Each structure stands twice: as structure tokens, then as C-alpha cells.
Amino acid sequence: MTPPDTPLIPSRREVRRKDRRDAILSVAQVYFLEHGFADTTMSGIAAELGGSKGTLWKYFPSKEALFAAVVERAAKAYQGRLSQILDPHGSLEPTLQSACRSLIEKVTSPDASALHRLIVAQGRRFPELSKIFFDLAPQNTRLLLADFLHGAMTRGQLRSADPIDAARALLSLSLSGCHQQMLIGRIDRPAPNEIAADAAFAVDIFLRAYAPQSRPQPDAAIV
Amino acid sequence: MTPPDTPLIPSRREVRRKDRRDAILSVAQVYFLEHGFADTTMSGIAAELGGSKGTLWKYFPSKEALFAAVVERAAKAYQGRLSQILDPHGSLEPTLQSACRSLIEKVTSPDASALHRLIVAQGRRFPELSKIFFDLAPQNTRLLLADFLHGAMTRGQLRSADPIDAARALLSLSLSGCHQQMLIGRIDRPAPNEIAADAAFAVDIFLRAYAPQSRPQPDAAIV
DNA sequence: GAAATAGCGTACTCTATGGTACGATTTTAT
DNA sequence: ATAAAATCGTACCATAGAGTACGCTATTTC
């Protein structure tokens, strides 16, 4: 009865297939993040999955394809929920600080930094993947933040300037502490108070540099 | 005659050996930078070298050992000559700008960024190497710069603050442009004017944030 | 000049792993 | 119920590359 001939109602097979595919990606992601590209084995993934190798190749025609799928999926999941925090009605400094804190927290999670490492590592082999990832993740965050800063500028809370540049400055300041340490491998996880300190530092510098009508008087020559 | 029994006079053999070792490292470096760790083959290095594989293992007991040696050597070579540029007598802004420019230039050279990528990529497998590298390279630069900034602070050219933090801020601002783009793989080489622009931007923000006695309060009027 | 040493070339072993083949079994669709 | 599709398990293939063995030659030392 009611033959589901439209693609709108996914058949049981299709559902199952999607589930299976997702399961594969999850297992693969763990492996890739943990071991990197070269040291992840298809056999290992298949074993962990419980299925057979043949099935694996039925879903992904090669290791590279699987890797690409993992990265794309992870990149999408990476997208930040920064927008909620960036409330234009709150007062500026606390808003920025909590935004930065939240960003740093996210970006210093073990998964996120492992992903970052992985992408950078394979940047030569999969240049398109880097692009996808960095378009989805940092680029997106920057735009969100730039938009917010633009608002603050028009409200006179900040001096007028290129909001994209301003966002870049704030972001890079935010990530110059724990995050760097993590990527370097010098620390495993930042302490919460370090995150707060990084955020406070970044916002402090940022606000000094972008205070309304603040113009430093040293030897001019700023074009 | 005059048997050179002291180790001070290196025998011809020792010289030769050192040369050979260095040649191996050079070839290996090219390979590693170009292909990463996993995709560099010992056989390939041996072939390029012209020698035999046996010789290779006579110098380095394993691929990992060779890799470590390459990184250590490269890291040492990486150390910056920033000190010459940081002349305490010049006026502040141009000095900082040229220092930043020079840094960005160095750090965005294909070799440097390939090295950076390599280290980050292998950070899990060789944590000690990351430490060596990042102690030698950015850490060193930061200290040099911090020292200079400290001087500028005591001379009243900058407000008093933690010079290390200040150096961190300036560096992270400097590297937030082309350098990021490069690591991401979005560009291959930065145009010279982009480098200058990045430096100018960083120094501008930095000077605004670290201007002497500049407080974000608009009504200042403090001498 | 003789002994030690280093290096060369080549062939070889061993292991890991991406990817395939295939018959048996289960699940889904009708 | 029955045919088609998906999965499973397992054995297998092909390749690649780290590391070894070994006999021959060139260089260095004394």
C-alpha cells in the first residue's frame, strides 16, 4: 500500500544506507584525527566498524575519498554558534570577551585542534579540502564578528575602520595564546582561566586600538 | 709525522664524514619538506644522493632518526636575524614596520612554511621536535622583540606593560594575514605589497594599543 | 705498502596495507 | 514467497617501502 515512489519518503534502504555511511564516517574520523592520514588503515576502520572491507569500498571508492568525506563533514560540524553570543544590545567589552572566550574554548578542544593539524598536514595533498575547511570555519567566524563590529562602529562604540580587518585583529589576538601552544603541542588542554586570560588580553588590546576617536600622537605618518 | 692524536684536528675522514652527513641531511630535507614524512622514502633519498642505501643507514639508524636530524638542523637555521633590524635609535614606527616586514617575509618563504607544516603535522609523533623547533624559532623571535619593546617602554615611547605580552600581540597581528593564508594553502607566495600591508596594519594596531599614556577614555587630558 | 675503514650496488627479506574476489547470509522490496 | 540488493567473512593479490646482507672497490691512515 501507498507505494513510496517519491524520493521525499526515503525508503528503509535509503535510511539504512545513510546511517551506515554516517557510522563509517564517525569511525573514520576518530581514526584520522587520532593517527593522521598515512597511519590510518582502512582495515582498521573496517574492523572497528564490525563490517567487512568490501562494504567500506562500496561506500567510499578509496581512502582519499573517505578522508575527503570525513573532512567535509567535520568542517560543517565545526561551524560556530558565535552569533548567539554577539548580542548587539549588551555592553561592548563583556560581549566581546565572552565571544572570544567561547571561540577559544571551541578552537582549543582536542578534536578541533586535531582537525586543524590534520588539515594543515595534508594541505599539499588535498588543497581543495583546506579551502573547504577554512572557508567554513575561520572565514565564517570572521564574517560574523565583522558584522557585529560594524554595528558597534556605526553605534559609535568603536572608531570607524574596516570591520573585516578589525575582526581579523581581534581573532588573531585571541588565538595567540593557548591556541598557539596547543597547535605546537606544548600543552594538551588549556586551563579555563588561561582561556579567560587570553580573551581578556585580546579584548583589552583590541579596545585600546579601536576606541572611538582615539588617535595616538606619536610621529604621525599613518596613511 | 706529527700524528694528529688530538680530536682538535679533525682527520680527513672525519671531515669527509661530516660533509657526507650534511649532504644527506640536505637531500632529506628537500624530500621531507616536499612530501611530508610518510611520503618520503629512504630509497628515494639514497637514489638522489647517489650513494647506496647501506650508507644511509650507516649515518642514521632509522627514518625517524633522519627526520629528527633534519628538523633540528632546519630549526637552527631558521633562527632569525631580527636583532639587526631592531635598532633602538631609529624612530619607533619605521623600525617596527621593517622588523615586521622582515619577519613576515622570512616566515612566508616556501621553505619556512613547509617546515612549519611539517612540524605541525608530525607533532603527535615527534612532540620533542615541535618543542625544539618552536623554542628555537618563534620563541626566540618573541624574546628578541620583547627586549626591544621593553627598551621602548622605558624610553617612554610606549606605555608600560608586559613586554612579552606586547611582543606576542605584535607578532600575532603580523602573522594574521599572508602567513595564515599560506599555511592554509590558499596562496603560494605573498606579493611584496601584501607583506608591507600586513606589517603596516599590525604596527598600526599595535601602536594604537600601546601608545604612551593612552587610555581608552576619550576625555583623557592626563599629561 | 698494508691494514683498516667507508662506500657502492644490488639483491633480498619482511611486513603493512590498499584494494579485489567471491560465495554464503541477511535484509528489503514487491 | 521470491527476487534483488546489500553485507559479511575471509582469503587473496599487488605493491611499496623500511631495513639487511654481502661482496667488491676506493679512500684514509700509519
Side-chain angles (χ1 to χ4, degrees):
Chain A
M1 58 203 82
T2 62
D5 39 9
T6 87
L8 296 181
I9 300 168
S11 72
R12 211 182 281 184
R13 250 191 200 141
E14 280 161 339
V15 169
R16 196 182 145 89
R17 190 167 173 80
K18 208 166 165 46
D19 284 357
R20 197 81 178 121
R21 188 187 143 94
D22 229 60
I24 294 177
L25 287 178
S26 295
V27 172
Q29 174 165 350
V30 171
Y31 266 76
F32 279 125
L33 290 188
E34 188 73 21
H35 307 296
F37 181 79
D39 293 347
T40 292
T41 74
M42 296 294 267
S43 310
I45 293 173
E48 173 89 18
L49 202 63
S52 93
K53 290 175 72 174
T55 308
L56 200 46
W57 266 272
K58 206 146 203 171
Y59 280 90
F60 302 96
S62 73
K63 186 182 179 181
E64 306 208 338
L66 176 57
F67 179 72
V70 165
V71 170
E72 289 190 38
R73 176 162 159 276
K76 272 173 200 153
Y78 193 95
Q79 290 196 66
R81 275 296 63 64
L82 218 56
S83 33
Q84 314 167 352
I85 301 167
L86 289 174
D87 171 20
H89 304 306
S91 60
L92 190 59
E93 186 164 352
T95 301
L96 286 181
Q97 279 207 17
S98 62
C100 288
R101 258 202 312 275
S102 148
L103 174 75
I104 300 173
E105 249 158 38
K106 170 161 210 168
V107 127
T108 54
S109 77
D111 266 18
S113 67
L115 182 59
H116 189 143
R117 257 205 285 269
L118 190 55
I119 307 264
V120 169
Q122 299 300 325
R124 188 91 70 181
R125 197 197 308 242
F126 306 95
E128 340 75 50
L129 283 189
S130 315
K131 265 209 65 187
I132 292 176
F133 176 71
F134 286 101
D135 275 355
L136 240 40
Q139 193 73 6
N140 192 45
T141 303
R142 180 182 298 184
L143 293 179
L144 226 52
L145 183 58
D147 192 52
F148 172 82
L149 293 178
H150 179 67
M153 287 171 186
T154 58
R155 283 192 299 279
Q157 293 176 291
L158 295 174
R159 71 179 167 86
S160 285
D162 181 354
I164 297 273
D165 277 352
R168 166 152 80 95
L170 181 54
L171 290 177
S172 97
L173 287 168
S174 294
L175 301 184
S176 66
C178 315
H179 183 237
Q180 280 302 318
Q181 305 278 314
M182 272 203 86
L183 286 186
I184 286 172
R186 187 179 284 266
I187 60 175
D188 264 358
R189 285 219 75 152
N193 60 314
E194 289 181 87
I195 293 181
D198 279 359
F201 175 70
V203 171
D204 176 50
I205 302 289
F206 177 79
L207 286 183
R208 286 177 189 270
Y210 281 93
Q213 80 248 19
S214 127
R215 187 74 183 168
Q217 69 283 7
D219 16 298
I222 300 171
V223 183
Chain B
M1 59 204 86
T2 63
D5 39 11
T6 87
L8 296 180
I9 300 168
S11 72
R12 210 182 282 183
R13 254 192 196 138
E14 281 162 340
V15 170
R16 196 182 146 87
R17 189 167 174 80
K18 207 167 165 49
D19 285 357
R20 196 79 178 122
R21 188 187 143 95
D22 229 59
I24 294 177
L25 287 178
S26 296
V27 172
Q29 174 166 348
V30 172
Y31 265 77
F32 278 124
L33 290 188
E34 187 74 20
H35 306 296
F37 181 79
D39 294 346
T40 292
T41 73
M42 295 293 269
S43 311
I45 293 173
E48 173 89 19
L49 202 64
S52 94
K53 290 174 72 174
T55 309
L56 200 46
W57 266 271
K58 208 148 201 170
Y59 281 90
F60 302 96
S62 73
K63 187 181 179 182
E64 305 209 337
L66 175 57
F67 179 72
V70 165
V71 170
E72 289 190 38
R73 177 162 160 277
K76 272 174 200 152
Y78 192 96
Q79 291 195 66
R81 274 295 65 65
L82 218 55
S83 33
Q84 313 166 353
I85 302 167
L86 288 174
D87 171 19
H89 305 306
S91 61
L92 191 58
E93 185 164 355
T95 302
L96 287 180
Q97 279 207 17
S98 62
C100 288
R101 257 202 312 276
S102 146
L103 175 73
I104 299 174
E105 247 158 39
K106 171 161 209 170
V107 127
T108 54
S109 78
D111 266 18
S113 67
L115 182 59
H116 190 142
R117 257 206 283 271
L118 190 55
I119 307 264
V120 169
Q122 299 300 324
R124 188 91 70 181
R125 200 198 305 245
F126 305 95
E128 341 73 51
L129 284 189
S130 314
K131 266 210 64 188
I132 292 176
F133 177 71
F134 287 101
D135 275 355
L136 240 42
Q139 193 73 7
N140 192 45
T141 304
R142 180 181 299 183
L143 293 179
L144 227 52
L145 183 57
D147 192 51
F148 172 83
L149 293 178
H150 179 67
M153 287 171 186
T154 58
R155 283 191 300 279
Q157 293 175 291
L158 295 174
R159 72 179 167 86
S160 286
D162 180 352
I164 297 273
D165 277 352
R168 165 152 80 97
L170 181 55
L171 290 177
S172 98
L173 286 167
S174 295
L175 302 184
S176 66
C178 315
H179 183 239
Q180 281 302 317
Q181 305 276 315
M182 273 203 85
L183 286 185
I184 285 172
R186 187 180 283 265
I187 60 176
D188 263 0
R189 285 219 74 152
N193 60 315
E194 289 181 88
I195 293 181
D198 278 359
F201 175 69
V203 172
D204 176 46
I205 302 289
F206 177 80
L207 286 183
R208 287 176 189 269
Y210 282 92
Q213 78 250 15
S214 120
R215 291 290 290 180
Q217 292 312 320
D219 40 294
I222 308 169
V223 184

